[in-house]
Amino acid sequence: MFEGFAVIDEPRGGRRTSTATRLEPIFEPPERHIRGARHSSRSPPREADAKLCHTLARELKNSGVRGSLTWELSMRVLIAGAGIAGLSAARALETKGIECEVVERREQPSTEGAGIFLLGNAARALGDLGLLDDVRSVAYPIATQRILSSSGSVLNDVRTAEVWKDCGPCLALSRQSLAAILQSSLKPGTVSYGLEAVSTASRGEKRMVRFSDGREREYDLVVGAAGVNSPLRNAVFGPSAARQIDISCWRLVVPNNGEIDGWTAMLGNGRTLLGIPISEAETYIYADCRTSEFGDGPVDVMKRLFSGFAGPLGPMMAALDPATAVHRAILQEVPAKRWIADRHVLIGDAAHACSPSMAEGAGMAIEDAVVLAELVAKGGPIDRILEGFHQARIGRVAWVQKKSRARDKLRSGSSTIRNAVLRLFGDGLYRRTYEPLTRPLLP
């Protein structure tokens, strides 16, 4: 139950005084001058607790006491990983009054990934975090998604607002900018860098976590958000969940030469070249190929594979400075399934990494955070909360993975069939693929 209530009385003179002693005979609050009530049970607050708080507030008002009666939740939450998923989860929980700790094995914020494209559902989730305006202020609006052949012929051209108008805008920005906005929204000291959660185990009604510095601590909830190769996932659910999908990629940022003004992809024989403006000065480039062609991913291989593409993107590759900073990756998938255990849940790429063909990696991670925080704040036993989270998320993330595989198969298959399909049915395929993601996250 509650440790105690405090009522903030506001007499007509405006001076505020605590009247917590009015409730002493009932609750014997151990502290004075506390605004609200702190819930300290091992489970989040129940609906009955909130109703009790409101009933007391009404009775106090009827007795002539001016002021307010509130309650807040006290539980210990650990988030392992300070990427998009982990930072979003921390922000989402904080907006619900739930403080948490975030640990990240890297010594400083990551600069990997170069750029990021956010579709309308991701923008909506950022709005739920109260950060959409901050993101829009530094992002480049994307009004079109255009697919070309490697020779430059237009295969499909979609106006994004036609699908996402009731959900949110499509935006592109640097990954570092998004991470910085998320982190700056948190209370100072929330994230500890250079510290990793290496193992976890159930211990009574808590979850024990062992850290890389040898310390152990207990938590009410542990959220695994450390990416596709999550050590906590391997420790709790077993190794080898992630599998390679025979696609390797390069990600980089180049000067914006004004050649493209929206999301622009060019498709070759088993190769994809994508350009997205992320500002007036910069363009994010993503390029992928079969892993057998990738080797160690040197820049000269990328230039050889893509410099033969026509404009607008091929010439960018041909003119690429060999010293350009490039992020390389062999892509992996983590099959979406029931990634929950006793007081432990996986989110983001740790739970459902997949090919970037749907451009939904960040969107699914931010949605995970919003839904998890909403369910935790509603209260109830942790196991029921996590089961509810699984049921709310599994359909959407499985859909994204299914459609990512289908898009990968289409773009890597026969160019004749692929080009015909995109020309004839591209608009309808886009709408049918993304319309389910415009629906509400929770009933």
Side-chain angles (χ1 to χ4, degrees):
M1 281 294 291
F2 293 108
E3 292 177 2
F5 289 94
V7 182
I8 305 301
D9 190 16
E10 297 179 353
R12 295 183 186 278
R15 180 171 169 269
R16 301 173 66 159
T17 60
S18 171
T19 58
T21 53
R22 291 179 183 269
L23 296 180
E24 259 187 1
I26 303 174
F27 291 99
E28 298 181 346
E31 299 177 8
R32 303 296 184 266
H33 310 289
I34 304 174
R35 186 179 186 113
R38 184 172 295 275
H39 182 285
S40 62
S41 71
R42 291 185 176 92
S43 296
R46 300 167 299 169
E47 183 178 355
D49 296 333
K51 289 181 178 178
L52 175 60
C53 181
H54 294 310
T55 299
L56 286 169
R58 184 173 60 251
E59 293 299 322
L60 288 165
K61 181 178 180 180
N62 292 339
S63 67
V65 176
R66 293 167 54 84
S68 61
L69 183 66
T70 60
W71 55 270
E72 64 184 42
L73 170 65
S74 176
M75 61 184 299
R76 178 172 286 177
V77 179
L78 175 72
I79 299 172
I84 301 301
L87 295 174
S88 296
R91 169 66 180 183
L93 290 166
E94 280 195 5
T95 64
K96 300 295 184 181
I98 305 165
E99 295 188 7
C100 55
E101 303 169 30
V102 182
V103 296
E104 169 57 53
R105 63 179 178 82
R106 296 182 178 89
E107 296 294 333
Q108 58 188 7
S110 173
T111 59
E112 294 180 354
I116 193 165
F117 177 52
L118 303 172
L119 287 159
N121 63 304
R124 177 178 58 189
L126 285 167
D128 292 334
L129 299 184
L131 299 177
L132 180 55
D133 288 344
D134 291 337
V135 172
R136 292 184 80 159
S137 70
V138 298
Y140 194 95
I142 301 297
T144 60
Q145 288 190 250
R146 184 176 295 117
I147 301 177
L148 313 176
S149 68
S150 59
S151 63
S153 299
V154 177
L155 304 177
N156 185 237
D157 195 348
V158 173
R159 305 292 297 182
T160 59
E162 294 176 4
V163 173
W164 302 105
K165 60 182 182 298
D166 296 326
C167 194
C170 296
L171 304 167
L173 70 163
S174 73
R175 183 173 288 268
Q176 298 94 316
S177 294
L178 178 59
I181 288 170
L182 288 167
Q183 179 150 347
S184 64
S185 74
L186 305 177
K187 294 180 180 178
T190 298
V191 183
S192 298
Y193 286 95
L195 185 63
E196 183 177 20
V198 295
S199 66
T200 180
S202 181
R203 180 179 286 176
E205 296 188 359
K206 296 287 185 180
R207 189 93 197 174
M208 183 278 294
V209 176
R210 180 175 292 109
F211 295 96
S212 54
D213 63 0
R215 291 184 301 116
E216 291 185 358
R217 292 192 72 180
E218 292 183 338
Y219 296 89
D220 298 292
L221 175 64
V222 176
V223 181
V228 64
N229 294 309
S230 165
L232 287 189
R233 186 191 63 231
N234 295 339
V236 176
F237 300 98
S240 304
R243 66 176 186 85
Q244 294 185 11
I245 58 175
D246 195 30
I247 301 174
S248 294
C249 72
W250 297 266
R251 297 182 175 100
L252 58 151
V253 172
V254 300
N256 185 344
N257 63 4
E259 290 286 329
I260 57 173
D261 59 4
W263 184 100
T264 304
M266 302 186 72
L267 306 181
N269 181 20
R271 303 167 191 167
T272 298
L273 184 58
L274 170 68
I276 315 173
I278 58 175
S279 71
E280 295 293 342
E282 294 181 315
T283 295
Y284 167 52
I285 295 292
Y286 167 91
D288 72 26
C289 66
R290 298 181 182 91
T291 298
S292 59
E293 295 182 299
F294 187 78
D296 295 329
V299 172
D300 61 345
V301 169
M302 178 175 59
K303 293 185 67 171
R304 175 173 56 81
L305 294 177
F306 295 100
S307 59
F309 278 40
L313 301 180
M316 292 184 184
M317 293 295 96
L320 187 65
D321 184 344
T324 301
V326 177
H327 171 67
R328 304 165 178 83
I330 297 174
L331 299 181
Q332 301 179 81
E333 178 182 278
V334 176
K337 65 177 189 178
R338 195 172 182 275
W339 294 112
I340 58 175
D342 183 31
R343 296 180 178 273
H344 181 45
V345 61
L346 301 180
I347 65 171
D349 281 353
H352 44 70
C354 67
S355 152
S357 288
M358 285 279 285
E360 281 291 346
M364 290 297 103
I366 302 169
E367 285 188 358
D368 284 350
V370 170
V371 172
L372 180 62
E374 185 68 29
L375 295 177
V376 169
K378 285 183 177 179
I382 288 289
D383 58 349
R384 191 167 66 196
I385 290 171
L386 297 186
E387 182 61 34
F389 173 79
H390 168 72
Q391 295 299 330
R393 297 301 296 152
I394 187 63
R396 288 174 78 90
V397 297
W399 173 262
V400 168
Q401 289 195 336
K402 176 182 177 180
K403 292 304 176 181
S404 292
R405 295 185 201 110
R407 289 161 75 95
D408 288 340
K409 184 176 181 180
L410 177 64
R411 66 191 177 96
S412 63
S414 163
S415 59
T416 301
I417 295 174
R418 176 195 66 210
N419 294 354
V421 167
L422 290 173
R423 283 193 175 105
L424 295 173
F425 309 111
D427 285 7
L429 286 173
Y430 184 93
R431 185 175 295 277
R432 286 195 295 273
T433 296
Y434 285 111
E435 190 278 332
L437 302 184
T438 68
R439 298 169 190 168
L441 298 182
L442 288 168

